[in-house]
Amino acid sequence: MQTIEKTRNTLETQVSLSFNPQGDGTCVICTPIKFFNHMLELLCAHGGFSLKLNAVSLDCDPHHLVEDVAITLGEAFKESLGDKRGIKRYSNIILPMDEALIMCVLDVSGRAFCKCDVNIKEEKTSDFETVLLSHFFNSFASNAAITLHIKMLDGSDPHHIIECTFKACARALKEAISIDLRNPDKIPSTKGAL
């Protein structure tokens, strides 16, 4: 595994980042969406990732900003794992936060799929549009080439639900890319590739 630096410049956004999947949870994150910054901080803290991220919105559309951050982060995650030799590959967690309860199950498979079954009635929490939660994880999973299932088992407070989702995904990612001590040199697939 290695640190990856990526940039994505479009007519809508400018994103640059440095990502280390085996970091110490430290991060420096700057986007114009304060709640999103906090969620990315949680992703790093609970995933054990190190991240430096700067994202600028050129069209003032939060949808494009969240999408482009997710794309760039997903690409960096995929590249940082190399051939995925020695990783556990699969993981799952059911994580609570007060009344919220989120299940996250994933496979670092090389195949992109995401099902984000989270029902939030409110359109916004703080400065974050709640519809962007599933959009972030769909875009991340597509570009990280992982299979990701997220299911809300309980919850009513949109802040708690979203925060719980980011924490659950972070913990599941951390476990899935951790090294299998019994097979540290083996690619975890009968195909010999992921």
Side-chain angles (χ1 to χ4, degrees):
M1 293 187 209
Q2 58 184 320
T3 298
I4 298 294
E5 296 185 359
K6 299 285 293 183
T7 59
R8 179 177 173 84
N9 295 313
T10 72
L11 297 177
E12 300 163 344
T13 67
Q14 293 176 342
V15 179
S16 62
L17 64 78
S18 175
F19 174 78
N20 181 352
Q22 293 183 312
D24 58 7
T26 60
C27 59
V28 178
I29 295 169
C30 182
T31 85
I33 307 171
K34 291 180 181 178
F35 186 84
F36 185 45
N37 294 348
H38 180 44
M39 294 304 104
L40 294 173
E41 290 166 358
L42 292 172
L43 189 72
C44 293
H46 289 269
F49 311 132
S50 292
L51 175 66
K52 291 180 182 176
L53 168 70
N54 187 60
V56 177
S57 177
L58 302 177
D59 64 359
C60 298
D61 188 334
H63 178 98
H64 294 148
L65 183 86
V66 169
E67 177 180 55
D68 284 348
V69 167
I71 289 169
T72 313
L73 185 58
E75 290 174 347
F77 179 85
K78 179 182 177 183
E79 290 177 29
S80 72
L81 300 181
D83 67 0
K84 306 180 186 80
R85 189 174 303 276
I87 68 167
K88 292 181 180 175
R89 179 178 166 177
Y90 296 98
S91 66
N92 63 83
I93 191 169
I94 296 176
L95 191 132
M97 181 176 175
D98 298 343
E99 88 297 343
L101 192 62
I102 299 291
M103 179 176 67
C104 181
V105 182
L106 62 85
D107 176 9
V108 182
S109 60
R111 295 184 304 278
F113 178 82
C114 180
K115 183 171 184 181
C116 188
D117 185 8
V118 178
N119 183 19
I120 301 175
K121 295 176 183 177
E122 292 81 0
E123 291 184 4
K124 235 177 172 186
T125 184
S126 185
D127 62 343
F128 186 79
E129 296 174 16
T130 55
V131 69
L132 296 178
L133 175 68
S134 61
H135 190 56
F136 173 83
F137 284 108
N138 272 289
S139 298
F140 175 78
S142 292
N143 290 276
I146 63 173
T147 298
L148 175 62
H149 290 263
I150 299 169
K151 187 171 184 64
M152 184 177 109
L153 304 177
D154 207 348
S156 56
D157 184 318
H159 186 124
H160 292 167
I161 293 166
I162 294 169
E163 185 166 332
C164 192
T165 302
F166 272 87
K167 287 178 179 177
C169 188
R171 292 278 173 166
L173 286 168
K174 181 179 183 179
E175 175 66 16
I177 68 169
S178 66
I179 299 301
D180 181 350
L181 297 179
R182 294 193 314 175
N183 297 290
D185 297 315
K186 184 178 177 184
I187 293 173
S189 171
T190 56
K191 297 177 182 180
L194 286 173

